Structures are given as structure tokens and as C-alpha cells.
């Protein structure tokens, strides 16, 4: 998965403000959608949101000690189960809780929220878009996971390159090279997450298909 593991001060105040502002705008749109468009406040939505928040926060903290820390985050699964609006709020909360225990800086919450919302949204729309492809739920969830995490890594790289890292003397090409290696490792972990997400979605579809009603409403 993609997550910016930089401490506060790595980005200038200007870029921290920009990413925070964009993230808050997206979160407000998510809340507006839930209240005025989706109009869904039932227990199922709250249950899915609570379950996904707890699971994502827990797995966030399990680090593989490579390139400063690599971990799964379940954002594609969050997108498939909750949709972009609920998923956007979930990842915002998870990033705040993670920063509170030292997993990423407070200033990085905005940027990381944008990265994770990209993963949630791409996975959700990819899963929906594959409904008519006559693929199994396992395959659709796996492909959606890989697509979401790939675009999340691209978003992460763009944000870091655009913002620049204060106190680093490397050129942008050197930084891009290092970030590309990190993205490669992330995508290796993404394959594992794709398989895991595929099995989870397949199992949920067998025992509680109503939990997938958001992503499979076209069926």
C-alpha cells in the first residue's frame, strides 16, 4: 500500500496546508453525499464503517521493515464494502489515529488521506466496472485491489515530488528513483493484499451479500 512515512517538517508549511485543504474538501463532499444524496444512516452502514475502521487501523500498525516500513491497509476492501464516501471518512479517521501513536506526522494526514481516498475510490469503481465482465467476485476484488493500490502509489509519488522534501539534497530524479523502488515493494505487498481482499469479498458474498450492496447495486 501507499503511505507517506515522513515526519513533520519534511514538507513545507505551504504544501502541508494545500494537502490538508484538499483533504478537508473531499471529506466535506463525502459527508454531504452521505447526508443529502445517499441518505443512508442505517445500522448496516455504521456497522461496516466501524468494522473497517478497526480492521484498517490494526493492520496499519503491522510494518514490514523495508524502505522505512511497508504495510497493508485494506483501503480497497474499505472501498468495496463502504463506497467512496464512507471509505473516505474511514481513511481520514485511521490516518488521524495513526498519527496520534506516531505512525506518520500530523502534517502528513492531509496528503495521506488523499492517497488513501484514491485507493478507496479506484478500487470501488473498478469493482463496479467489472460487474458485467462475468468474473468471479474473487477476481473482481483482486483486480480492483491492484488497481487501487497502483494508483495510490502514483498519487503518493506525485505528492512527494511536487511538495519536495526539506533538508534533502538529492535531485528530483534521485528521489523519483527511490520512490519507484518503494512503489515496487508496495506492489509486491499489494499482490498479497489482493489475494486477501479477494477471499474476504468472496466469503462475504456467500454469507452476507447485503454487505456488498453498495458496490454491486448494478447487479
Amino acid at each position: 500500500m501507499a503511505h507517506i512515512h515522513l515526519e513533520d517538517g519534511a514538507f513545507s508549511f505551504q504544501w502541508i496546508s494545500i494537502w490538508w485543504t484538499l483533504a478537508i474538501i473531499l471529506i466535506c463532499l463525502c459527508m454531504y453525499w452521505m447526508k443529502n444524496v445517499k441518505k443512508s444512516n442505517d445500522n448496516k452502514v455504521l456497522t461496516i464503517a466501524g468494522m473497517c475502521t478497526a480492521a484498517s487501523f490494526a493492520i496499519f500498525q503491522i510494518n514490514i521493515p523495508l524502505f522505512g516500513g511497508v504495510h497493508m491497509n485494506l483501503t480497497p476492501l474499505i472501498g468495496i464494502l463502504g463506497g467512496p464516501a464512507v471509505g473516505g471518512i474511514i481513511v481520514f479517521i485511521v490516518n488521524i489515529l495513526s498519527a496520534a501513536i506516531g505512525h506518520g506526522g500530523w502534517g502528513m494526514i492531509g496528503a495521506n488521506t488523499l492517497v488513501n481516498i484514491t485507493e478507496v475510490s479506484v478500487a470501488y469503481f473498478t469493482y463496479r466496472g467489472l460487474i458485467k465482465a462475468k468474473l468471479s467476485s474473487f477476481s473482481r476484488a483482486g483486480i480492483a485491489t491492484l488497481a487501487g493500490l497502483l494508483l495510490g502509489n502514483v498519487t503518493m509519488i506525485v505528492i512527494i515530488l511536487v511538495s519536495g522534501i526539506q533538508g534533502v539534497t538529492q535531485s528530483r530524479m534521485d528521489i523519483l528513483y527511490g520512490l519507484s523502488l518503494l512503489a515496487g515493494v508496495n506492489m509486491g505487498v499489494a499482490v498479497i493484499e489482493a489475494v486477501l481482499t479477494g477471499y474476504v469479498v468472496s466469503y462475504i458474498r456467500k454469507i452476507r451479500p447485503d454487505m456488498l450492496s453498495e458496490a454491486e447495486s448494478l447487479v
Side-chain angles (χ1 to χ4, degrees), residues 7-20:
E7 299 297 326
D8 288 324
F11 289 173
S12 66
F13 180 76
Q14 173 189 354
W15 284 109
I16 289 175
S17 301
I18 290 173
W19 303 132
W20 260 100

Side-chain angles (χ1 to χ4, degrees), residues 19-215:
W19 303 132
W20 260 100
T21 300
L22 291 176
I24 290 174
I25 290 173
L26 288 179
I27 294 302
C28 289
L29 290 175
C30 290
M31 296 176 68
Y32 174 83
W33 173 268
M34 291 178 62
K35 181 179 180 181
N36 299 294
V37 180
K38 188 65 177 173
K39 295 182 179 179
S40 178
N41 296 309
D42 56 45
N43 290 332
K44 184 182 70 175
V45 173
L46 295 176
T47 300
I48 291 175
M51 176 188 68
C52 289
T53 302
S56 179
F57 176 69
I59 205 165
F60 240 64
Q61 315 314 320
I62 303 175
N63 270 329
I64 301 171
L66 293 172
F67 291 92
V70 177
H71 54 82
M72 293 188 289
N73 61 357
L74 304 183
T75 45
L77 180 62
I78 291 171
I80 293 170
L81 292 179
V86 175
I89 295 172
I90 290 173
V91 297
F92 182 60
I93 294 172
V94 169
N95 275 296
I96 291 175
L97 294 175
S98 296
I101 62 172
H103 189 151
W106 287 97
M108 298 298 156
I109 292 176
N112 279 321
T113 298
L114 295 176
V115 171
N116 294 150
I117 286 179
T118 299
E119 295 170 336
V120 166
S121 301
V122 172
Y124 169 78
F125 287 111
T126 302
Y127 186 85
R128 279 180 65 101
L130 292 173
I131 287 177
K132 296 182 180 180
K134 296 181 180 180
L135 296 173
S136 66
S137 56
F138 176 88
S139 298
R140 281 187 282 135
I143 294 172
T145 298
L146 291 175
L149 296 181
L150 176 61
L151 267 295
N153 275 280
V154 172
T155 303
M156 175 192 71
I157 291 173
V158 170
I159 286 176
I160 294 176
L161 287 179
V162 169
S163 303
I165 304 176
Q166 296 190 118
V168 172
T169 58
Q170 291 177 312
S171 67
R172 289 188 183 273
M173 288 303 299
D174 290 335
I175 294 175
L176 175 59
Y177 176 73
L179 291 174
S180 299
L181 291 178
L182 173 59
V185 174
N186 282 341
M187 290 311 297
V189 178
V191 174
I192 300 174
E193 185 164 345
V195 173
L196 175 63
T197 302
Y199 276 119
V200 171
V201 171
S202 298
Y203 182 71
I204 291 175
R205 200 171 193 275
K206 289 179 182 178
I207 63 170
R208 287 292 303 275
D210 59 299
M211 292 181 67
L212 293 168
S213 58
E214 173 68 26

